[in-house]
Amino acid sequence: ELMTGYTMLRNGGVGNGGQPWVLRWSSRIRLTWLSFTLFIILVFFPLIAHYYLTTIDDADDAGKRIFGPRTGNELCEVKHVQDLCRIRESVSEELLQLEAKRQELNSEIAKLNLKIEACKKSIENAKQDLLQLKNVISQTEHSYKELMAQNQPKLSLPIRLLPDKDDATFPLPKSNRNCRLHNCFDYSRCPLTSGFPVYVYNSDDYPFGSSLDPLIKQAFEATVRTNVYVTENANIACVYIILVGEMQEPVMPKPTELEQQLHSLPYWRTDGHNHLIINLSRKSETQNFIYNISTGRAMIAQSTFYDVQYRPGFDIVVSPLVHAMSEPNFLEIPPQVPVKRKYLFSFQGEKIESLRSSLQEVRSFEEEIEGNAPADYDDRIITTLKAVQDSKLDFVLVEFTCKNQPKTSLPTEWALCGERDDRLELLKQSTFALIITPGDTHLVISAGCAMRLFEALEVGAIPVVLGEQVQLPYNDVIRWNEAALIIPKPRITEVHFLLRSISDNDLLAMRRQGRFLWETYFSTSDNVFSTVLAIIRTRIQIPAAPIREETAVEIPHRSGKAAGTDPNMADNGDLDLGPVETEPPYASPKYLRNFTLTAMDVYRNWNSAPGPFHLFPYTPFDPVLPSEAKFLGSGTGFRPIGGGAGGSGKEFQAALGGNVPREQFTVVMLTYEREEVLMNSLERLNGLPYLNKVVVVWNSPKLPSEDLLWPDIGVPIMVVRTEKNSLNNRFLPWDEIETEAILSIDDDAHLRHDEIMFGFRVWREARDRIVGFPGRYHAWDIPHQSWLYNSNYSCELSMVLTGAAFFHKYYAYLYSYVMPQAIRDMVDEYINCEDIAMNFLVSHLTRKPPIKVTSRWTFRCPGCPQALSHDDSHFHERHKCINFFVKVYGYMPLLYTQFRVDSVLFKTRLPHDKTKCFKFI
């Protein structure tokens, strides 16, 4: 068998072949060996390597380590490895620092949380303390009010008292001709707080109403509808009024019929007490039919009175109602300059003795008078005046015979000649107008004389009344010697000398006062009726009703944006301007003189200002000058001579000065669609002392942007919506203005706080004037014979622009309600000149120029959009405005001044313990 196997091996392992089998067997052996070798390498070599690696480092000799870790220096010998090491070290350090900061922040957060909790507790405690303080303040205010009520009560609007329905009985006078207020007027129907209610009968409800002149009746009814005192409740009325004239002659009732109709009035109450019978006259033809009627205790108001009929202090002499249903045209009224006209004086009239009046048809005049009639000076007057005319020393015109048929007149009265237009043309050329009273001295006033007076005042001829016994219209409340000359007839020979001796300044003053009287009390039916009521109200000492204020319709707006502080506005040096947050809004006191005015100032009358009884319950410009006073030339005004507190700089800074111890002002700012400029201007008012509130007059029909955030400046900001775009809205007396002082300022004006405060101090020393910063003046253009507006720098001024000026709220009422409407219409037409109109008004009333306060900062806002004043047409329009205003006023009321108020602190820095004052240049 072995042989066989050997043979097969040699034959290759295949039977007889042998060789292939051997080859296959050797291949298998090689594969098996290779697999076994690989297995040994893959298994045992890692095990051996692991063994050596884990056991060889146990040797004591560190130098014999082969596979163990090396030291840092040895490992970092390679360059890039060293960089990586440095990065690792830096990151490690930063991580350590961040960890330290994190721990520090956590510690701070913990501390802040503790503080927050403490603050919350403090806030709660503060709220409790504030609530307690409010309670204490409320109790203190209540106690203060009780003490004031017990000791020195502050006058305020009291509760209105009304009369009882049934009148109290009081004794009758011996004769109706002895009637005076104390015995013929029932004061119980007119409490001081009643508001003076007046009931007016409707004349159409009575038979005599059909006989009234239609124009007078229509004008009277229109006036009654708009009067604030008229009431429809007759049970609470203080005075009852009935219109009985002027009557038309063909249908005039008989005196007995008219008397019966008057006595049948529903509230006549047997004697007619508290009744006023008004007999207005539109013509010079007199109808004194009331003379023959028993009027009981009723008051009479008419233009013709006999001395036996007129009851001084009870009846009223009224002016004729010439302009019944038409407003006078101011442009047709001649100017007040030149002072002297063509004729020194003039007179036209004719005396007709044979005319008989309605008075003589019933009762003989001689039966009513006692004693001998006075001497008739008319012949001497005629002779003297003709001699003056013939001397030709002056141009005079006197005519004692009418060219045409004279007007109807009373006996001994000089009848009017010609038509009204002809008479006015002559008076326009006359410096003086002679008015010769009737020869019968028992005729104290006639409609003819009243008509002559009316026409003279209308065209600026100064009345010269010959006859001191005359009772001129409203003589108990008007100082006629300021507008007319009243000369006794025996001095007729001295009249020429007297008229020539009057200076031009006095002539202009009298003419100006006469123009004022005519405009205020004579010109329209509303003026006549209001004057009659004002006289009765003043006599019985009832204060006037408050004048109407403009209701401010507020535009809702969002506020809350913290107002910044312009460094230029806040840089006041070491000057303490006054309290800011410590002074809450404080309104000017009201109702202080309502019940004392009528007793004190009945006869007070400015040169050209409304009388105390005309429109306003009080006059706001009352100087308080203590005895032995000395003007120190400082902002504090008058101080007593001698020792005492005051005078130091620090005390001066802390006090506002002046004679009103506590006062604030209101800023009125007119704007039109310039929101950014407006916001900047409002922010500049932040922290302004003595500021009560800001009234923004939004003059655009487009409302402010809804997302507009208004600044919080520490005082209320009232945004007022106007009915139309008009510059006159700047001077409307808004009811939100609660202070007497108004600072009118443009939305682009740039004023410092110290400048505003200085202007406020100066205004408090001159409350009746405009006090502001930008000055202008007017000039006479000789080539064109007209007035010019000039804004160039000069040494004098006559206007202060109201774009930055203080003025009294009193002038806002006058500008809006009293000043001629033609001026406001022109302001609306040109959208210009409202500041000029206000300067004209104040100078006309006070006869004083404005006061300029020096500013040291740019007035206009730098960088703001251009205003209307930069347009060339702006100045041409202002030229036209000045000339138009002069025509309306009749003269140039503006006055020049070189007076300027400056502050020595503009460049001088003084310590607090030194005196700080203002100087006047």
Side-chain angles (χ1 to χ4, degrees):
E1 292 180 356
L2 291 172
M3 191 66 168
T4 302
Y6 178 73
T7 303
M8 291 177 65
L9 181 61
R10 292 184 61 183
N11 293 334
V14 180
N16 295 323
Q19 187 175 359
W21 181 87
V22 174
L23 292 173
R24 285 192 300 268
W25 182 79
S26 62
S27 296
R28 290 176 181 173
I29 291 175
R30 285 193 298 270
L31 290 173
T32 302
W33 176 250
L34 180 62
S35 298
F36 179 77
T37 304
L38 290 175
F39 176 78
I40 293 299
I41 293 173
L42 294 175
V43 174
F44 288 97
F45 183 78
L47 292 175
I48 294 171
H50 180 267
Y51 171 77
Y52 274 97
L53 290 175
T54 55
T55 58
I56 196 169
D57 290 335
D58 293 336
D60 295 332
D61 190 1
K64 296 181 180 181
R65 294 176 184 175
I66 300 174
F67 299 102
R70 297 178 180 273
T71 61
N73 295 332
E74 294 175 348
L75 186 63
C76 293
E77 290 178 357
V78 183
K79 183 176 182 180
H80 67 278
V81 176
Q82 292 178 354
D83 294 339
L84 293 175
C85 291
R86 285 195 297 270
I87 293 173
R88 185 188 64 178
E89 293 175 356
S90 176
V91 171
S92 299
E93 292 178 358
E94 290 181 358
L95 289 175
L96 292 175
Q97 293 176 359
L98 289 175
E99 179 64 20
K101 289 182 179 180
R102 185 182 68 82
Q103 295 178 358
E104 183 180 356
L105 290 175
N106 289 335
S107 176
E108 291 181 359
I109 290 173
K111 293 179 180 179
L112 290 176
N113 288 331
L114 294 177
K115 290 183 179 180
I116 290 173
E117 295 297 329
C119 290
K120 288 182 178 180
K121 294 181 180 179
S122 300
I123 291 173
E124 294 297 329
N125 296 333
K127 288 182 178 179
Q128 295 295 330
D129 296 340
L130 179 62
L131 182 60
Q132 295 178 0
L133 289 175
K134 288 183 178 180
N135 294 332
V136 172
I137 292 173
S138 178
Q139 295 175 0
T140 306
E141 289 179 349
H142 183 70
S143 302
Y144 173 75
K145 291 179 180 180
E146 290 181 350
L147 292 174
M148 290 294 294
Q150 295 174 1
N151 299 294
Q152 190 177 0
K154 176 183 177 181
L155 290 178
S156 60
L157 188 63
I159 300 175
R160 182 179 181 184
L161 301 177
L162 296 176
D164 297 330
K165 184 176 180 180
D166 299 327
D167 294 349
T169 58
F170 55 99
L172 292 171
K174 295 182 180 180
S175 172
N176 292 333
R177 294 177 180 176
N178 296 328
C179 265
R180 299 296 184 270
L181 289 176
H182 69 276
N183 58 6
C184 289
F185 190 86
D186 184 7
Y187 280 90
S188 65
R189 296 203 60 82
C190 306
L192 289 176
T193 59
S194 63
F196 190 59
V198 175
Y199 179 78
V200 180
Y201 292 98
N202 187 0
S203 301
D204 293 333
D205 296 339
Y206 306 96
F208 63 84
S210 59
S211 303
L212 294 176
D213 186 308
L215 290 178
I216 288 184
K217 183 169 66 174
Q218 186 178 358
F220 183 78
E221 292 174 351
T223 299
V224 167
R225 286 194 295 267
T226 59
N227 195 275
V228 295
Y229 298 106
V230 174
T231 179
E232 296 181 357
N233 187 358
N235 293 324
I236 66 171
C238 168
V239 175
Y240 301 85
I241 297 178
I242 182 67
L243 178 67
V244 299
E246 179 176 55
M247 289 191 176
Q248 297 174 327
E249 298 223 356
V251 292
M252 184 185 300
K254 296 182 180 179
T256 54
E257 296 176 355
L258 180 59
E259 182 176 323
Q260 292 176 358
Q261 295 174 24
L262 290 177
H263 292 181
S264 64
L265 294 175
Y267 304 100
W268 186 262
R269 297 184 178 90
T270 69
D271 58 2
H273 61 273
N274 289 44
H275 275 65
L276 174 65
I277 301 174
I278 297 182
N279 178 22
L280 297 177
S281 176
R282 190 168 61 90
K283 306 173 184 178
S284 61
E285 293 83 352
T286 306
Q287 301 175 15
N288 191 13
F289 53 86
I290 298 180
Y291 182 87
N292 303 304
I293 296 176
S294 175
T295 57
R297 292 177 172 178
M299 296 174 285
I300 300 175
Q302 62 179 10
S303 300
T304 301
F305 280 103
Y306 281 94
D307 58 355
V308 293
Q309 178 189 14
Y310 179 67
R311 296 165 291 186
F314 194 74
D315 295 325
I316 302 174
V317 179
V318 299
S319 62
L321 188 59
V322 178
H323 301 286
M325 291 302 297
S326 62
E327 294 288 338
N329 189 351
F330 292 98
L331 298 181
E332 296 180 356
I333 300 175
Q336 300 185 32
V337 289
V339 176
K340 293 182 178 179
R341 300 176 177 176
K342 178 179 179 180
Y343 299 109
L344 178 63
F345 62 84
S346 64
F347 178 81
Q348 285 182 328
E350 184 172 343
K351 189 174 182 180
I352 305 176
E353 300 284 355
S354 60
L355 295 178
R356 297 178 58 86
S357 65
S358 59
L359 168 65
Q360 288 183 313
E361 294 178 359
V362 178
R363 196 176 301 176
S364 174
F365 173 73
E366 286 77 14
E367 296 175 359
E368 299 294 339
I369 64 174
E370 298 178 0
N372 298 325
D376 191 353
Y377 291 97
D378 288 353
D379 293 339
R380 185 185 304 177
I381 291 174
I382 295 173
T383 303
T384 304
L385 295 181
K386 284 186 176 180
V388 174
Q389 185 178 23
D390 295 339
S391 66
K392 297 183 179 181
L393 294 176
D394 293 290
F395 285 105
V396 298
L397 192 151
V398 290
E399 296 179 353
F400 302 103
T401 303
C402 296
K403 299 177 181 178
N404 300 320
Q405 183 67 25
K407 304 294 181 180
T408 306
S409 62
L410 291 174
T412 73
E413 182 186 18
W414 289 92
L416 294 171
C417 296
E419 299 298 329
R420 167 177 160 80
D421 293 339
D422 298 332
R423 297 195 299 270
L424 292 180
E425 286 300 323
L426 175 60
L427 292 174
K428 290 178 182 179
Q429 304 178 60
S430 304
T431 304
F432 297 95
L434 294 185
I435 302 175
I436 304 177
T437 59
D440 182 6
T441 56
H442 294 279
L443 185 60
V444 295
I445 187 62
S446 65
C449 288
M451 183 65 69
R452 291 181 181 273
L453 179 66
F454 181 94
E455 293 177 351
L457 296 177
E458 181 178 5
V459 297
I462 300 174
V464 179
V465 182
L466 296 179
E468 78 283 1
Q469 80 284 355
V470 68
Q471 297 290 334
L472 297 179
Y474 320 125
N475 62 310
D476 54 346
V477 292
I478 292 181
R479 286 179 145 181
W480 279 108
N481 60 345
E482 296 180 355
L485 295 174
I486 303 176
I487 304 174
K489 286 186 177 181
R491 294 192 178 274
I492 184 59
T493 56
E494 301 172 312
V495 167
H496 187 206
F497 167 79
L498 177 62
L499 299 184
R500 296 187 66 182
S501 63
I502 300 177
S503 65
D504 291 352
N505 289 336
D506 292 338
L507 289 177
L508 183 58
M510 296 180 70
R511 183 174 295 163
R512 184 171 54 246
Q513 180 68 6
R515 171 74 175 270
F516 161 73
L517 295 177
W518 179 81
E519 291 179 357
T520 307
Y521 309 117
F522 291 75
S523 58
T524 64
S525 58
D526 182 68
N527 290 342
V528 172
F529 184 68
S530 298
T531 303
V532 171
L533 293 185
I535 289 176
I536 299 176
R537 179 182 53 76
T538 305
R539 286 176 176 176
I540 62 178
Q541 299 181 345
I542 294 183
I547 192 170
R548 175 174 63 92
E549 289 190 313
E550 290 293 327
T551 303
V553 180
E554 183 177 7
I555 299 177
H557 60 281
R558 294 187 304 156
S559 60
K561 182 178 68 171
T565 302
D566 190 335
N568 294 322
M569 301 295 103
D571 183 17
N572 301 310
D574 55 358
L575 180 61
D576 183 10
L577 299 181
V580 181
E581 298 178 357
T582 59
E583 183 76 357
Y586 174 75
S588 298
K590 298 180 180 179
Y591 313 112
L592 291 183
R593 298 192 60 209
N594 284 21
F595 299 99
T596 58
L597 173 74
T598 52
M600 296 173 57
D601 292 342
V602 171
Y603 293 99
R604 178 175 180 176
N605 196 354
W606 289 1
N607 188 28
S608 295
F613 61 89
H614 177 51
L615 288 173
F616 304 101
Y618 71 98
T619 302
F621 317 124
D622 298 322
V624 182
L625 306 182
S627 59
E628 297 183 353
K630 178 181 179 182
F631 188 60
L632 299 180
S634 68
T636 55
F638 293 91
R639 293 192 183 264
I641 295 177
S648 67
K650 187 174 182 180
E651 292 177 356
F652 170 75
Q653 292 178 205
L656 183 59
N659 298 308
V660 181
R662 186 184 185 193
E663 189 173 17
Q664 294 179 342
F665 62 91
T666 302
V667 168
V668 176
M669 187 177 295
L670 187 71
T671 187
Y672 186 90
E673 297 183 3
R674 297 202 296 181
E675 294 180 353
E676 183 179 357
V677 175
L678 175 64
M679 295 303 106
N680 293 334
S681 296
L682 292 176
E683 289 186 4
R684 286 194 292 269
L685 299 177
N686 182 34
L688 181 62
Y690 302 106
L691 179 59
N692 181 272
K693 69 173 60 172
V694 178
V695 177
V696 177
V697 182
W698 191 264
N699 222 22
S700 171
K702 180 182 177 181
L703 296 180
S705 303
E706 295 182 358
D707 58 347
L708 182 63
L709 193 60
W710 296 69
D712 183 4
I713 61 175
V715 297
I717 297 179
M718 172 70 65
V719 185
V720 179
R721 185 175 185 175
T722 58
E723 296 180 357
K724 64 177 182 178
N725 178 20
S726 173
L727 293 180
N728 293 315
N729 296 332
R730 179 195 296 271
F731 302 125
L732 284 174
W734 302 105
D735 56 358
E736 290 295 333
I737 302 176
E738 300 177 329
T739 60
E740 294 183 2
I742 295 177
L743 172 58
S744 174
I745 190 169
D746 289 339
D747 58 0
D748 59 353
H750 207 69
L751 292 175
R752 301 168 59 101
H753 287 187
D754 55 343
E755 294 172 348
I756 296 176
M757 286 309 305
F758 180 53
F760 184 44
R761 292 176 184 268
V762 174
W763 177 85
R764 284 166 50 83
E765 304 295 336
R767 307 172 69 87
D768 60 337
R769 300 163 80 172
I770 299 177
V771 177
F773 298 91
R776 301 291 186 266
Y777 68 97
H778 66 288
W780 179 250
D781 185 4
I782 297 178
H784 298 88
Q785 294 294 296
S786 62
W787 293 102
L788 296 177
Y789 170 84
N790 203 312
S791 62
N792 296 331
Y793 291 102
S794 66
C795 295
E796 60 184 2
L797 59 100
S798 60
M799 292 174 283
V800 166
L801 302 187
T802 55
F806 286 92
F807 63 90
H808 201 285
K809 188 180 179 182
Y810 180 81
Y811 293 125
Y813 295 104
L814 296 181
Y815 184 97
S816 302
Y817 304 139
V818 179
M819 188 179 69
Q821 181 63 36
I823 296 179
R824 294 190 292 271
D825 292 341
M826 190 167 194
V827 171
D828 289 336
E829 178 183 355
Y830 285 156
I831 316 180
N832 199 343
C833 307
E834 85 286 356
D835 47 0
I836 300 178
M838 176 59 80
N839 278 270
F840 266 68
L841 175 67
V842 177
S843 296
H844 170 66
L845 295 176
T846 62
R847 303 308 303 139
K848 298 177 182 178
I851 297 179
K852 173 178 171 56
V853 180
T854 304
S855 62
R856 57 170 173 172
W857 194 253
T858 304
F859 172 65
R860 290 295 177 187
C861 171
C864 292
Q866 283 194 353
L868 296 175
S869 58
H870 291 85
D871 190 358
D872 292 338
S873 61
H874 172 80
F875 290 93
H876 297 289
E877 292 172 352
R878 295 172 85 81
H879 299 331
K880 296 178 182 178
C881 288
I882 287 184
N883 288 280
F884 179 81
F885 297 164
V886 168
K887 289 182 180 180
V888 175
Y889 282 97
Y891 75 110
M892 169 54 75
L894 299 179
L895 299 173
Y896 292 106
T897 180
Q898 295 182 354
F899 181 82
R900 187 195 71 188
V901 185
D902 198 354
S903 172
V904 299
L905 298 179
F906 276 179
K907 295 183 179 180
T908 305
R909 301 289 181 171
L910 299 177
H912 286 282
D913 57 346
K914 300 297 182 182
T915 302
K916 293 187 176 183
C917 60
F918 299 119
K919 69 177 181 180
F920 295 83
I921 300 177

